[in-house]
Amino acid sequence: MIINITDTEQAVMRIIWTKKRATGREIVEEAQLSHDWSASTIKTLIRRLTDKEMIAVDKSEKVFTYVPVVAENEATDYNANRFFDSVCDAYKGTLLTALIKDEPLSKTDIQNIRAILDEREASAPDQVACHCLHEDDDSCAMVHH
């Protein structure tokens, strides 16, 4: 399944993932707490997410209720992998370092990351090659960043 959603759709999905199921009114109210969006804009986002089969409509009750079809971790992993696939290989280490430095991490997260890095260190190359173009690494803007 392709999970291609915009940042605004992601914001609506976050509400539905958190609530597990939500009426249109609940989604609109919650979204308007943190975004300057009209109700019609939010309803359009809900319709798009339904069309993309990211959410389903439960019509069994008097008020339509929206439920996630795609799990949050599945969508997050897909989008993160898609983003990292678009980044220069030679820059991925720098980017991961910045993320580890700046993002909130628990002690367990840090221990897990450390264990993975210790395991990978033995077989890691001295330098990761750029694969952006079919030229040598000297042409890579990210290597010299």
Side-chain angles (χ1 to χ4, degrees), residues 12 14 16 60 67 89 133 137:
V12 172
R14 188 146 238 343
I16 299 167
S60 66
V67 295
D89 284 350
L133 300 174
D137 286 347

Side-chain angles (χ1 to χ4, degrees), residues 36 54 89 91 100 104-105 124 132 141:
D36 187 25
M54 294 289 295
D89 284 350
Y91 187 68
I100 289 169
L105 298 168
C132 296

Side-chain angles (χ1 to χ4, degrees), residues 3 5 21 23 30-31 38 41 45 53 56 58 64 68 71 80 85 96 101 108-109 113 129 134 141-142:
I3 306 168
I5 61 175
R21 55 188 301 111
T23 65
E30 188 65 37
S38 69
T41 296
L45 294 169
E53 299 180 347
D58 179 355
F64 289 0
D85 286 347
L96 287 169
K101 179 181 172 210
T108 301
D109 293 332
I113 291 167
H134 298 284
M142 297 309 282

Side-chain angles (χ1 to χ4, degrees), residues 104-140:
L105 298 168
S106 69
K107 288 183 179 187
T108 301
D109 293 332
I110 293 168
Q111 291 166 354
N112 290 338
I113 291 167
R114 185 175 287 129
I116 290 168
L117 292 174
D118 288 345
E119 183 180 308
R120 292 194 60 187
E121 185 175 24
S123 63
D126 289 333
Q127 183 176 345
V128 175
C130 166
H131 294 95
C132 296
L133 300 174
H134 298 284
E135 298 178 15
D136 62 346
D137 286 347
D138 291 337
S139 66
C140 181

Side-chain angles (χ1 to χ4, degrees), residues 27-72:
I27 296 167
V28 168
E29 289 173 357
E30 188 65 37
Q32 288 180 329
L33 291 174
S34 53
H35 303 283
D36 187 25
W37 298 336
S38 69
S40 64
T41 296
I42 298 164
K43 290 175 185 175
T44 298
L45 294 169
I46 293 169
R47 190 191 81 253
R48 283 190 206 158
L49 290 165
T50 304
D51 291 347
K52 291 180 178 186
E53 299 180 347
M54 294 289 295
I55 59 176
V57 185
D58 179 355
K59 299 177 183 178
S60 66
E61 300 173 24
K62 192 173 186 176
V63 178
F64 289 0
T65 304
Y66 298 91
V67 295
V69 172
V70 176
E72 184 174 14

